Amino acid sequence: MAGDERLLHASSFGAAAAAYAEHRPDYAQAAVRWALEPASGPRVLDLGAGTGKLTAVLVALGADVIAVEPDPAMLAELRRALPAARALSAARALSAVRALSAARALPGSAEAIPLPDASVDAVLAGHALHWFDMAIAGPEIARVLVPGGILAGLWNVFDDRLDWVAGLERVSGSAAIGPRDLLTRWRAETADAHLPGIGLIAQFGSPEQAEFPHGHRRTADSLVATLATKAGLLVMPDQERAATLGRIRAYLAARPETARGEFTLPMLTGVLRVRRLRTFDNTG
Ligand SMILES: C[S@@+](CC[C@H](N)C(=O)[O-])C[C@H]1O[C@@H](n2cnc3c(N)ncnc32)[C@H](O)[C@@H]1O
């Protein structure tokens, strides 16, 4: 995806912040635990935290979390969902990363993280790593991580080994369910997500990837509402978006798995985990 298009998609979510908070899934706890396993301490930065879906799982697991999110509408939803995640000035961030309680939320981006050097043990990004400009964000993430700290990207992926899920993907099109959203393709799609780009110095070691079972209780209507919060649909012209959602609605109404009442959408949480190298040239 070209830079301008990436920025358009990356900044699309705020317009649907309330729907995002209501309809997007959280993450499998086992996946978050695995992401954090090699971290040497409890301080976690949830980067591109959105409305706090991953933040809440991290808090439940007892991590000492700081959420950073650039979109004011998403940040407002996060603070509504996690009342402990109060606004902090950058000046108070250092004492905040040292404190051991709930979550705090800061405006900021992956390219300009409002935290001091070597202040967190892990940086996690839920459905967000692919939106970062890693040429700038890579060195920034490496800066705030302690040497040997962990960077992990998490994605909820549809289990497209199931016939009806594969059919849903075909009907929806890649704007709603892209290759990165599919169990059979997410690994290849995200394997390089932590790299800064050609010719730049890598700050992270070799990636490890793993998937963990997850599910999302949905009805046909609420699944349509979930897919309507995907960036590809948020940036789509109204008519095309209505037609896409109409096709999805018709498909779900016709499938026995989804036509009536509640069902569990079969998903897995995929994790890409890398370790910050202990030494690298951060001056260029
Ligand atoms: C798909 S949402 C994921 C939100 C949340 N992490 C979750 O798991 O639900 C992507 C989020 O990344 C944020 N984002 C986009 N570009 C970003 C950047 N350069 N730095 C940090 N966050 C960014 C968006 O504002 C949005 O909240």
Side-chain angles (χ1 to χ4, degrees):
M1 191 181 279
D4 287 355
E5 203 186 347
R6 184 176 54 76
L7 274 180
L8 179 69
H9 283 70
S11 58
S12 66
F13 299 100
Y20 194 106
E22 182 177 353
H23 290 295
R24 283 286 190 112
D26 65 358
Y27 296 86
Q29 281 204 358
V32 179
R33 253 191 243 109
W34 186 81
L36 294 177
E37 203 176 68
S40 53
R43 300 165 303 174
V44 181
L45 166 61
D46 179 1
L47 193 50
T51 62
K53 299 284 172 188
L54 177 59
T55 321
V57 180
L58 286 162
V59 169
L61 290 176
D64 180 15
V65 192
I66 292 220
V68 166
E69 165 58 41
D71 188 296
M74 297 295 267
L75 196 56
E77 284 296 333
L78 188 155
R79 289 182 177 141
R80 222 189 312 280
L82 300 169
R86 280 185 259 288
L88 274 180
S89 70
R92 288 181 55 211
L94 180 58
S95 58
V97 290
R98 284 184 183 141
L100 273 171
S101 67
R104 302 121 193 128
L106 289 169
S109 72
E111 295 78 11
I113 301 174
L115 293 181
D117 296 359
S119 57
V120 293
D121 303 298
V123 174
L124 266 56
H127 275 273
L129 194 60
H130 51 274
W131 299 129
F132 303 164
D133 177 353
M134 286 306 280
I136 303 167
E140 259 302 81
I141 293 169
R143 178 184 69 75
V144 301
L145 275 172
V146 295
I150 297 301
L151 167 65
L154 291 90
W155 292 268
N156 282 318
V157 296
F158 291 70
D159 189 347
D160 57 331
R161 293 170 302 186
L162 298 177
D163 186 52
W164 80 262
V165 178
L168 175 64
E169 184 257 328
R170 282 192 296 276
V171 160
S172 302
S174 61
I177 303 178
R180 197 175 45 231
D181 300 316
L182 298 172
L183 175 62
T184 54
R185 299 184 59 188
W186 82 274
R187 283 189 176 227
E189 290 292 321
T190 62
D192 291 345
H194 61 293
L195 294 177
I198 296 157
L200 293 161
I201 293 158
Q203 286 89 14
F204 303 99
S206 307
E208 297 172 273
Q209 290 170 304
E211 298 99 0
F212 300 84
H214 199 31
H216 194 195
R217 290 298 286 171
R218 296 283 78 189
T219 62
D221 282 346
S222 65
L223 180 51
V224 171
T226 301
L227 293 173
T229 67
K230 299 290 290 185
L233 282 172
L234 292 173
V235 302
M236 211 176 240
D238 287 349
Q239 225 178 335
E240 193 183 344
R241 175 181 156 89
T244 302
L245 293 174
R247 272 199 319 275
I248 296 171
R249 205 171 279 117
Y251 177 80
L252 295 174
R255 290 293 311 206
E257 296 87 348
T258 54
R260 261 180 299 281
E262 277 202 330
F263 55 89
T264 299
L265 176 67
M267 292 189 320
L268 298 95
T269 300
V271 187
L272 168 78
R273 176 174 89 178
V274 288
R275 198 184 269 276
R276 177 197 185 278
L277 297 174
R278 286 182 188 273
T279 54
F280 56 88
D281 181 356
N282 199 19
T283 57

